[in-house]
Every structure is written in structure tokens, then in C-alpha cells.
């Protein structure tokens, strides 16, 4: 099941743990949603969705020990699968997953002082919730890259109004470092990972979310030949 290493935890270590578990859960509820849905058979026993510190996810029975090593996720998520609209069911699990992620983070941070706990919460609050990602709700602070910016990563691809793919090479000027910091909080719509100027990213022309190329299996060469890119979520929903 999910585990925690021994020893003291700093704010940064706890936030890294939170971010990795969150990325795993987001992947289960978006990119791997069909596999996740299939594993949540209502005929099985009480199942839980776990996010792990290595950014993977798992559907499994709860821990047998009492009390468990870490707080447990919502129990029996599979029982409501066939009794609810699929989107509503996924949204409900997303809400419970947000609660679990917070409970784990503050369980690990039990020995932090007040200022450290506040700093931890501020780190967490800068990220959109799992619920916001799953339901396509934009976070209050919109961190999407500006399509008109000339200082995007050399790996970022966006399209003009005529639908033609255009690469946006890194601009080696004095403003680049400042613009890179501005976009550093942009999150991958699949794994939830932060923007990194050294990685290839691609933007969906429908929902305007950004993705690691590796997460959606798009290479820079392939992106150049795509007139209009639709992310996996938009493809599944049949968005035009």
C-alpha cells in the first residue's frame, strides 16, 4: 500500500510527497481513466484509490493494520461506480482524493511549527485541486502560457488562428529568465507536473491546457505536422 519513509520531514520534502501523490491520482482520473474505471468493479470489496510518492496510482483494499501507517483514502469508491453518471463519480472521487492528500500532508507535517505549516499550505494552495483538474475548472490563478509570448520554451508548441502549428523557440534576451519564472507554475494536464523549460510541451487547441509531450505521446516532430491538437480528454469527450 502507500508508505512513508522514516525520519524528520521538511516543508519541501512533504510538498514533494504531496505533489507526487497528487500527480498519480490525477493520472488515474484523467489519462488512465478507462483502466481506473475498469478496476473499480462494484462486485469487489471496499476499494481505495492511492497515490504513491513515485507518481503512480493504485486501486486496492485498505491497509489491515489499525491504525494505518498513513491516513486512509475514501473507502468503497467502487460501490457507486454503476449507480452514478461517470463524470459525477469521477468528480466525487476527486474531491475525496483532495481531502486525503491534505490529510496525508498535514499528518506528515505534525511536527512542523505554525509558520512551517502555513508555508506548506501556501505551496499546496498554489496548485489546482484534483477536483479542478478532473472537472476542467480553471484554478483561480490562471497559469496558462500566453499564446503571444515569444519567450516560451523551445519545446512548447502552439497554433495560430489559422490552425497552423508554430514552434516558439527560446528567446535569448534579458526578459527570458523573468518570463520563465512567470510560467513556472503551469501544470501538465495529465501528470500535474510543473512547467520545465527544458522539456517539450504541447498546448491543446480546444481546452487550452498544456501537457508534457511524453505524457500525451507527442514528439516535437509529430507536433509540427498537427494542424489542430486535441488532448486525450477532449478526444474522449468528442469536443470540436
Amino acid at each position: 500500500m502507500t508508505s512513508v519513509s522514516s525520519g524528520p520531514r521538511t516543508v519541501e520534502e512533504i510538498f514533494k510527497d504531496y505533489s507526487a501523490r497528487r500527480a498519480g491520482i490525477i493520472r488515474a482520473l484523467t489519462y488512465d481513466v478507462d483502466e481506473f474505471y475498469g478496476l473499480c468493479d462494484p462486485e469487489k470489496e471496499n476499494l481505495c484509490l492511492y497515490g504513491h510518492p513515485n507518481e503512480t496510482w493504485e486501486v486496492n483494499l485498505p491497509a489491515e493494520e489499525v491504525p494505518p501507517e498513513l491516513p486512509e483514502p475514501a473507502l468503497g469508491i467502487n460501490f457507486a461506480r454503476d449507480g452514478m453518471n461517470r463524470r459525477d463519480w469521477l468528480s466525487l472521487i476527486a474531491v475525496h482524493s483532495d481531502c486525503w492528500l491534505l490529510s496525508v500532508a498535514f499528518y506528515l507535517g505534525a511536527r512542523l511549527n505554525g509558520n512551517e505549516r502555513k508555508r506548506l499550505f501556501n505551496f499546496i494552495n498554489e496548485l489546482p485541486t484534483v477536483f479542478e483538474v478532473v472537472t476542467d475548472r480553471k484554478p483561480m490563478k490562471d497559469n496558462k502560457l500566453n499564446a503571444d509570448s515569444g519567450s516560451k520554451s523551445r519545446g512548447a508548441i502552439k497554433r495560430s488562428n489559422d490552425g497552423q502549428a508554430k514552434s516558439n523557440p527560446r528567446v535569448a534576451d534579458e526578459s527570458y529568465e523573468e518570463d520563465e519564472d512567470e510560467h513556472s507554475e503551469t501544470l501538465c494536464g495529465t501528470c500535474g507536473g510543473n512547467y520545465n523549460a527544458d522539456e517539450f510541451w504541447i498546448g491543446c487547441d480546444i481546452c487550452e491546457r498544456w501537457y508534457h509531450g511524453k505524457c500525451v505521446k507527442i514528439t516535437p516532430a509529430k507536433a509540427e505536422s498537427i494542424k489542430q491538437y486535441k488532448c486525450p480528454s477532449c478526444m474522449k469527450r468528442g469536443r470540436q
Side-chain angles (χ1 to χ4, degrees), residues 191-235:
C191 72
N194 288 322
Y195 172 78
N196 185 331
D198 294 325
E199 296 179 302
F200 169 68
W201 285 62
I202 186 167
C204 177
D205 290 298
I206 307 302
C207 67
E208 297 187 350
R209 288 189 175 198
W210 287 82
Y211 299 83
H212 288 111
K214 62 184 180 181
C215 288
V216 291
K217 299 180 180 178
I218 299 291
T219 64
K222 186 175 180 180
E224 290 292 347
S225 65
I226 300 175
K227 291 184 177 180
Q228 184 185 57
Y229 175 65
K230 284 172 137 184
C231 69
S233 295
C234 290
M235 289 287 288

